[in-house]
C-alpha cells in the first residue's frame, strides 16, 4: 500500500484489533511498533509478528513515528494518544486504516455500515445473510468480531461493517456507500463525556452516499435530516411514507428503492418483537440501497438466526420462561428486551458506564414482577427502582453468584412470567465479557431446572 510504505507506525493495543492492524501494516512495508499495558499480550505477539518492535507501556510515541493506529477502546485522553496529538502525530483507528488501504485498491469493496445503541450485531448478521442470499461475496466485520482490515485483505466484495461509537470516533474519513443509524440512547458516557459527543460520533455513519435512520427515534430522525449524504431513507415500525421502509398490514414493505415492494411478513422475522423487526428493516434498507432484489431480502431474513446471548430462551419450567439477553449491555437494549414479555422478573446489574436507568425503570415498571440486582452498580439501579417503581420487589445481592441471582429470581416468578437476564450494563466487574455472563446464567438456569 503506497501511503504506508516506509512509514513508522505505532499500534496502540495488542489485542485482536491491534494484531490485525500490525499484520496489515507489515504487509504494506511499514515499520511497526506495538505497545500495550499487558506484557502477556505483547509476548503472545512475539512469535506471530516477527519484525515488529514490541514495547510495553509507552506513554509517548518513539522518535520517528509518524502515525498511530489505536485500538478502539483506548480513550482520547489516554496519555500516549494525547502525547501523539501534541507532537503532531495523527491518530486513527483500525477501521480508518482499512478505509485508507481500500481506497488504494483498483476495485475497492463496498461498505455497508451499521451503528446504534442497540441492535448492531443482529442487523449486520441479517445484512450478511441477505447479501449472501443474493449471491454476493459479503462478510460481517468490524465490532462484530472480524477486524475490517482482515475482511479487506481477504478480498470480500461487500463489507457489512458494524461500527461502535469508539470506532467511529477514530475514523474521520470513512464514508460508507450506505450507512444506518438504528437508534440512540445514553451509553459509553464515561468514554465520550457527553451524550452530544456520543451522538456526534454515531452520526459519522450517515456521511456516505445513502443515509438511513430509524425515524421512530426523534434524535435519529433529527440527525438523519441534517446528514450530508446524497440520499436520506427512514425506516419505521409504522406504515411507511414514500422514501421509507416500514410495516403495513403485518408485512415489511419498501417504499424507498424503486417501485413499492413487499418484503416478507413480520411473523417470519427472527428475533421476534419490535427490536427484531426494526433491525430487519434496517438491514433490508442497506441491502436495497446496494440493489439487492426483494426476493433475496426475504430469503436472507428467513434464513437468519440470532446469535448467542441475544434474547435466547434457555428453558421453560413450572410455567416460567428463562431468557438470556446478556448482550443487552445498556439501558436502551435492556428496555427493548423487557418489552418482549408482559410480565418479567428482571435480572440486572454490572457497569453502567455513566448511563442512567431512570427512563428504563419508569417506562417498564408496569411489567416487572420483581428485580434481582447484582454487580458493581446494583445500588444505582435499586435507587432508580425505589424512585419510579416502589411497589416492585427488589433483591439486591452483595457478592452473589449468578446461581444466587437465578434462585432469587425463581422465588419471585409466577407461572406466565419470564425471568430475563437483561443487565443494562457491561459485564467486566464480574465476568470476562457478556458471553461469559450469559453462559453463567444459562448454566445456573439449567442447574435449577434439572434439580
Amino acid at each position: 500500500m503506497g501511503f504506508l510504505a516506509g512509514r513508522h507506525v505505532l499500534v496502540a493495543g495488542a489485542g485482536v484489533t491491534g494484531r490485525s492492524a500490525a499484520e496489515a501494516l507489515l504487509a504494506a512495508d511499514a515499520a511497526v511498533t506495538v505497545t500495550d499495558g499487558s506484557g502477556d499480550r505483547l509476548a503472545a505477539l512475539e512469535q506471530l509478528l516477527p519484525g515488529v518492535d514490541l514495547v510495553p507501556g509507552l506513554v509517548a510515541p518513539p522518535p520517528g513515528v509518524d502515525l498511530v493506529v489505536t485500538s478502539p477502546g483506548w480513550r482520547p485522553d489516554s496519555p500516549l494518544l494525547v502525547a501523539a496529538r501534541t507532537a503532531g502525530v495523527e491518530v486513527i483507528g483500525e477501521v480508518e486504516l482499512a478505509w485508507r488501504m481500500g481506497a488504494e485498491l483498483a476495485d475497492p469493496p463496498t461498505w455497508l455500515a451499521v451503528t446504534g445503541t442497540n441492535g448492531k450485531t443482529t442487523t449486520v448478521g441479517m445484512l450478511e445473510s441477505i447479501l449472501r442470499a443474493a449471491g454476493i461475496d459479503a462478510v460481517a466485520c468490524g465490532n462484530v468480531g472480524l477486524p475490517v482490515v482482515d475482511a479487506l485483505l481477504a478480498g470480500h466484495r461487500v463489507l457489512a461493517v458494524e461500527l461502535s461509537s469508539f470506532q467511529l470516533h477514530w475514523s474521520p474519513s470513512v464514508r460508507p456507500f450506505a450507512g444506518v443509524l438504528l437508534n440512540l440512547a445514553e451509553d459509553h458516557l464515561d468514554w465520550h463525556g457527553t451524550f452530544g459527543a456520543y451522538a456526534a460520533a454515531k452520526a459519522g455513519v450517515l456521511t456516505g452516499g445513502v443515509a438511513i435512520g430509524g425515524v421512530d427515534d426523534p434524535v435519529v430522525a433529527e440527525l438523519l435530516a441534517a446528514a450530508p449524504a446524497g440520499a436520506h431513507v427512514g425506516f419505521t415500525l409504522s406504515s411507511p411514507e414514500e422514501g421509507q421502509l416500514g410495516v403495513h398490514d403485518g408485512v415489511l414493505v419498501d417504499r424507498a428503492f424503486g417501485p413499492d415492494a413487499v418484503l416478507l411478513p413480520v411473523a417470519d422475522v427472527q428475533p421476534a418483537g419490535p427490536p427484531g423487526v426494526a433491525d430487519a428493516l434496517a438491514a433490508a434498507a442497506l441491502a436495497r440501497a446496494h440493489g439487492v432484489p426483494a426476493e433475496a431480502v426475504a430469503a436472507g431474513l428467513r434464513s437468519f438466526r440470532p446469535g448467542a446471548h441475544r434474547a435466547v430462551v434457555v428453558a421453560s419450567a413450572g410455567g416460567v420462561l428463562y431468557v438470556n439477553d446478556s448482550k443487552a449491555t445498556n439501558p436502551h437494549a435492556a428496555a427493548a428486551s423487557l418489552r418482549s414479555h408482559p410480565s418479567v422478573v428482571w435480572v440486572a446489574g454490572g457497569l453502567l458506564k455513566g448511563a442512567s436507568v431512570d427512563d428504563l425503570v419508569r417506562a417498564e415498571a408496569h411489567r416487572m414482577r420483581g428485580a434481582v440486582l447484582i454487580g458493581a452498580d446494583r445500588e444505582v439501579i435499586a435507587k432508580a427502582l425505589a424512585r419510579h417503581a416502589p411497589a416492585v420487589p427488589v433483591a439486591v445481592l452483595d457478592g452473589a453468584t449468578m446461581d444466587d441471582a437465578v434462585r432469587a429470581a425463581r422465588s419471585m416468578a409466577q407461572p406466565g412470567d419470564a425471568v430475563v437476564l437483561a443487565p443494562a450494563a457491561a459485564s467486566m466487574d464480574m465476568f470476562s465479557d457478556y458471553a461469559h455472563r450469559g453462559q453463567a446464567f444459562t448454566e445456573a438456569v439449567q442447574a435449577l431446572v434439572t434439580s
Side-chain angles (χ1 to χ4, degrees):
M1 296 295 171
F3 83 99
L4 291 168
R7 298 184 71 176
H8 186 182
V9 184
L10 173 64
V11 176
V16 173
T17 299
R19 184 177 68 203
S20 292
E23 287 175 336
L25 289 162
L26 281 176
D29 296 323
V32 182
T33 298
V34 179
T35 189
D36 195 284
S38 167
D40 290 342
R41 279 198 293 267
L42 288 173
L45 294 186
E46 194 166 5
Q47 299 302 316
L48 294 171
L49 298 175
V52 170
D53 191 17
L54 304 172
V55 184
L58 284 176
V59 294
V65 164
D66 58 4
L67 178 68
V68 174
V69 177
T70 181
S71 296
W74 284 51
R75 292 165 54 128
D77 59 1
S78 300
L80 173 59
L81 304 186
V82 172
R85 292 195 301 274
T86 301
V89 177
E90 186 180 20
V91 180
I92 65 172
E94 173 266 334
V95 173
E96 177 75 12
L97 176 67
W99 178 260
R100 295 185 187 185
M101 293 175 71
E104 294 199 335
L105 298 175
D107 187 18
T110 299
W111 288 46
L112 304 176
V114 178
T115 197
T117 301
N118 184 36
K120 297 184 293 295
T121 301
T122 299
T123 302
V124 294
M126 288 174 164
L127 177 60
E128 179 189 64
S129 183
I130 292 169
L131 293 168
R132 290 181 175 180
I136 296 169
D137 174 20
V139 68
C141 57
N143 196 53
V144 72
L146 175 68
V148 184
V149 71
D150 288 352
L152 174 79
L153 295 179
H156 295 287
R157 299 311 308 139
V158 179
L159 307 183
V161 188
E162 177 183 329
L163 294 174
S164 70
S165 59
F166 305 159
Q167 289 170 315
L168 283 161
H169 176 89
W170 296 119
S171 303
S173 64
V174 170
R175 302 289 183 269
F177 175 82
V180 64
L181 178 54
L182 300 170
N183 43 57
L184 275 175
E186 285 187 350
D187 199 14
H188 300 302
L189 301 192
D190 55 340
W191 200 96
H192 291 280
T194 66
F195 179 71
Y198 169 69
K202 289 289 194 183
V205 81
L206 302 176
T207 57
V210 182
I212 303 164
V215 295
D216 294 338
D217 183 321
V219 179
V220 173
E222 183 177 345
L223 291 171
L224 178 63
H232 299 92
V233 174
F235 67 89
T236 173
L237 293 175
S238 301
S239 185
E241 300 175 0
E242 187 176 350
Q244 296 181 340
L245 285 79
V247 179
H248 184 72
D249 288 341
V251 176
L252 275 63
V253 295
D254 171 13
R255 299 196 64 205
F257 299 101
D260 291 1
V262 172
L263 301 177
L264 82 166
V266 167
D268 290 351
V269 174
Q270 292 293 327
V277 173
D279 296 343
L281 288 166
L286 287 169
R288 295 286 283 164
H290 187 57
V292 172
E295 296 78 12
V297 172
L301 289 174
R302 286 193 176 99
S303 65
F304 173 76
R305 293 296 177 267
H309 312 293
R310 169 58 82 196
V312 177
V313 175
V314 174
S316 179
V320 176
L321 198 66
Y322 295 85
V323 179
N324 168 20
D325 203 352
S326 183
K327 203 170 188 301
T329 57
N330 57 66
H332 187 273
S337 184
L338 297 181
R339 281 197 295 270
S340 298
H341 307 279
S343 181
V344 301
V345 177
W346 181 33
V347 181
L351 297 168
L352 286 170
K353 302 168 289 182
S356 169
V357 295
D358 287 80
D359 288 347
L360 157 63
V361 172
R362 190 183 298 110
E364 307 306 330
H366 66 283
R367 70 182 75 249
M368 292 184 192
R369 177 79 66 188
V372 177
L373 308 179
I374 59 175
D377 287 335
R378 60 190 179 277
E379 293 290 351
V380 177
I381 302 174
K383 290 175 181 177
L385 284 158
R387 283 192 296 272
H388 306 296
V392 173
V394 178
V396 182
L397 305 186
D398 184 8
T401 66
M402 188 61 82
D403 289 305
D404 298 327
V406 168
R407 284 194 295 267
R410 177 63 187 93
S411 69
M412 292 181 178
Q414 299 181 15
D417 290 346
V419 171
V420 180
L421 173 67
S427 57
M428 286 75 76
D429 56 332
M430 293 177 63
F431 305 95
S432 58
D433 52 27
Y434 74 79
H436 180 204
R437 178 172 60 190
Q439 185 61 34
F441 176 80
T442 298
E443 291 173 357
V445 169
Q446 290 171 342
L448 178 70
V449 169
T450 55
S451 66

